[in-house]
Amino acid sequence: MSGYHAELSPSGADQWTVCTAAPNAQRGIPNKSNDDSRGGTLCHQISEEILKDGTVAQDYLGRTLLFWIHPESDSSGEMWSDEVGENPDMCLEIEAELVVTQDHIDAVVTGTEFIKQLHSLHGGELMAEQRVPIGHFTGEQDAEGTTDVLILTEKRALIGDFKYGRNKVYAYDVLEAEHTDFITKIHVPEKVRANLQMASYALGALEKYGLCYDWTHVTMVIVQPFVNHVSEYTCTIEELMEVRDFLALKAEETRSNPRFVPSPDACHFCRKSGDCAAQTEAVAALALDGFTDMENAAPAKQPDYMLGNLYALLPMVSDWCDAIAKRTRDALSAGLPVTRDDGLSYKLVAGKMGGREWVSEEKAEEAMHSMRLGKDIMYERKLLSPAKLEKFAKVKKAKKGEQAEPPAIGPTKWERLKKLIKQEPGPKAIALETDPRPAVSSTDGFDDVGSDTDLNSDLF
């Protein structure tokens, strides 16, 4: 089966099942990577090689992953710099490069060791980076998705997915929170379903391998090493089929009845963001909502639920603002005019100078030594933070055939040091009641809403 990058991809299911016009709107717009996504790609690459080939994580320290594009075919990919042979016919452009750090390795070790333990617990066959068909429910011929981990047992398929971001993601979606019915006073339990991306992989595994097994259940596991988070969800095959029907219905809608439905989830990763009439109209309507007399801007009385509705839309407004700013900068950088309806135009001007740095620290250090400057002038001493010091208390994984070196800080010493560590609680964040985290007391007052570091934190 010849696979290609599906328009209705598993990773984009949260978008195209809400805004069914998004696939068509984004067609032809390249999906550009950034530092965060490249870091995730690097960790995924190492994880794949460890699970497939049995490579040692620590051996990757200092290696460089190159992110290339091929202008003629519009294709892109990655390769290790030390594996690039001399090939004059390889007309690739290096878009970016990233060096493997100890933080990358530690995260990868945590993730892959968890998967190995999961495999040991359940048995069966472990496979990494497996392409599975998804066209049987999306309607795209030969479309495929790639799952990070598959563990196939006689009665159960386990789908594993590494997330190397720092915002928690769950293996299930909460459709309805646990509550008491307002009218009947009857207790209504929480209603959940499988994470749509994970469900897509599970459906692909069922289509590809299901005839060889007698599966009754599917377990989906998301592993997030950087935030020490694991989320697991198990459902029956019958329940999975209900998700398949929902995905198939929405997939058909993208072709036969596409609708623009701007929302924080749908707009956040949309490549059309900032150049979408529906999104702009929604943001403008939000800005004007609550005013009855537009000439005098007289505020109308708002219902009690309005504040919650407005807050839920802030991520979409923030994304729209960022996208408009980027479009404007890109246009001016390309020499294109950006004007207002009053005839005034914008231009690029010199911004604030960056911080001063040495051209070469080695040469600067050498020059200072030749001037006989004292060490108290040249250097400053700073105590390492607990997070950085803890790395010296961990045993580094040894290479095959070699004995692991003991940590510089032994367990007894580290326990003594831990007693000297304090950690202030983070600022209170705003979240929906469906969020798995418990609510905190508000008797001590509430922190400034501006302390939320990422209004889109629940999207990752």
Side-chain angles (χ1 to χ4, degrees):
M1 182 180 289
S2 59
Y4 65 96
H5 184 73
E7 278 194 342
L8 304 182
S9 65
S11 60
D14 283 335
Q15 180 190 80
W16 57 260
T17 56
V18 175
C19 182
T20 52
N24 287 334
Q26 296 178 91
R27 190 172 292 132
I29 303 175
N31 190 12
K32 297 182 179 179
S33 62
N34 53 42
D35 290 342
D36 290 336
S37 64
R38 285 191 283 266
T41 300
L42 180 143
C43 289
H44 273 90
Q45 181 68 30
I46 302 175
S47 300
E48 176 190 354
E49 294 180 14
I50 288 175
L51 294 177
K52 272 188 174 181
D53 308 323
T55 55
V56 178
Q58 201 60 39
D59 291 345
Y60 289 86
L61 183 64
R63 292 182 69 183
T64 300
L65 189 65
L66 304 178
F67 295 81
W68 55 264
I69 56 175
H70 189 265
E72 295 181 5
S73 62
D74 199 30
S75 59
S76 61
E78 307 82 36
M79 58 185 174
W80 295 108
S81 61
D82 52 13
E83 294 181 354
V84 178
E86 294 184 5
N87 187 351
D89 296 327
M90 187 179 291
C91 303
L92 305 178
E93 292 182 7
I94 304 303
E95 185 180 29
E97 56 184 57
L98 194 60
V99 178
V100 180
T101 67
Q102 189 61 48
D103 284 343
H104 293 138
I105 291 175
D106 291 343
V108 167
V109 168
T110 299
T112 53
E113 286 300 316
F114 179 86
I115 292 298
K116 290 177 182 178
Q117 292 174 13
L118 198 66
H119 181 220
S120 298
L121 177 65
H122 291 276
E125 183 180 3
L126 169 64
M127 296 183 288
E129 286 292 309
Q130 289 296 302
R131 298 189 67 83
V132 293
I134 60 172
H136 58 291
F137 61 88
T138 67
E140 290 184 274
Q141 186 176 4
D142 294 340
E144 294 181 327
T146 304
T147 179
D148 293 341
V149 176
L150 280 180
I151 300 177
L152 309 181
T153 72
E154 286 300 321
K155 296 294 184 182
R156 179 189 307 259
L158 291 95
I159 317 298
D161 195 56
F162 296 117
K163 300 289 186 187
Y164 287 106
R166 289 175 169 79
N167 297 285
K168 289 183 179 179
V169 182
Y170 296 89
Y172 55 88
D173 297 328
V174 178
L175 301 181
E176 186 175 3
E178 180 183 12
H179 66 282
T180 299
D181 187 88
F182 180 74
I183 298 176
T184 65
K185 305 301 181 183
I186 296 176
H187 174 262
V188 180
E190 182 182 61
K191 183 180 180 181
V192 299
R193 73 173 174 207
N195 173 300
L196 294 181
Q197 179 183 5
M198 300 297 287
S200 297
Y201 295 144
L203 289 166
L206 185 64
E207 179 75 6
K208 188 172 183 178
Y209 301 105
L211 292 178
C212 303
Y213 297 91
D214 187 23
W215 291 334
T216 59
H217 290 75
V218 174
T219 295
M220 289 152 264
V221 182
I222 290 178
V223 187
Q224 289 186 272
F226 280 118
V227 290
N228 195 29
H229 175 67
V230 173
S231 179
E232 181 177 316
Y233 178 74
T234 297
C235 68
T236 64
I237 297 298
E238 290 75 16
E239 290 170 326
L240 184 64
M241 291 300 102
E242 293 179 7
V243 182
R244 177 203 61 186
D245 294 342
F246 170 76
L247 290 168
L249 179 67
K250 289 298 181 178
E252 176 56 34
E253 190 175 308
T254 65
R255 294 181 287 270
S256 60
N257 185 31
R259 295 185 303 121
F260 285 99
V261 183
S263 72
D265 286 1
C267 296
H268 183 61
F269 290 112
C270 183
R271 300 191 297 277
K272 193 70 172 175
S273 181
D275 190 22
C276 172
Q279 182 194 32
T280 301
E281 183 179 342
V283 172
L286 176 62
L288 299 175
D289 190 31
F291 293 95
T292 53
D293 184 348
M294 298 309 302
E295 184 176 350
N296 300 313
K301 180 176 175 53
Q302 295 183 335
D304 294 337
Y305 59 79
M306 183 56 68
L307 181 59
N309 290 352
L310 294 175
Y311 186 82
L313 293 173
L314 284 186
M316 182 178 71
V317 177
S318 176
D319 288 341
W320 179 83
C321 293
D322 291 342
I324 291 297
K326 184 179 184 303
R327 282 185 60 204
T328 302
R329 180 176 293 276
D330 290 346
L332 292 174
S333 298
L336 301 175
V338 177
T339 60
R340 305 191 317 197
D341 58 2
D342 60 4
L344 294 177
S345 61
Y346 290 91
K347 63 181 178 180
L348 290 177
V349 297
K352 182 180 178 181
M353 295 287 289
R356 294 180 296 173
E357 297 179 355
W358 299 114
V359 175
S360 167
E361 288 194 359
E362 292 77 11
K363 291 183 178 180
E365 188 176 33
E366 183 181 342
M368 292 182 203
H369 279 305
S370 67
M371 299 173 188
R372 300 186 181 278
L373 297 182
K375 291 184 178 180
D376 57 333
I377 296 177
M378 293 173 56
Y379 305 102
E380 64 177 3
R381 293 205 314 174
K382 184 179 180 181
L383 199 64
L384 289 180
S385 68
K388 291 183 178 179
L389 192 69
E390 187 178 12
K391 295 180 180 180
F392 293 96
K394 294 181 179 179
V395 179
K396 291 186 178 180
K397 192 170 182 179
K399 297 181 180 180
K400 288 184 178 179
E402 296 183 5
Q403 188 174 0
E405 296 183 5
I409 301 175
T412 303
K413 293 180 179 179
W414 178 241
E415 287 300 320
R416 287 176 58 191
L417 287 169
K418 283 169 66 175
K419 296 177 181 178
L420 302 174
I421 298 173
K422 69 174 183 177
Q423 188 171 21
E424 297 294 333
K428 297 183 184 73
I430 300 173
L432 278 175
E433 61 177 322
T434 53
D435 191 289
R437 293 170 293 181
V440 296
S441 173
S442 59
T443 55
D444 296 330
F446 202 78
D447 296 313
D448 187 353
V449 174
S451 64
D452 287 357
T453 54
D454 187 357
L455 292 171
N456 293 301
S457 61
D458 61 333
L459 304 181
F460 295 86

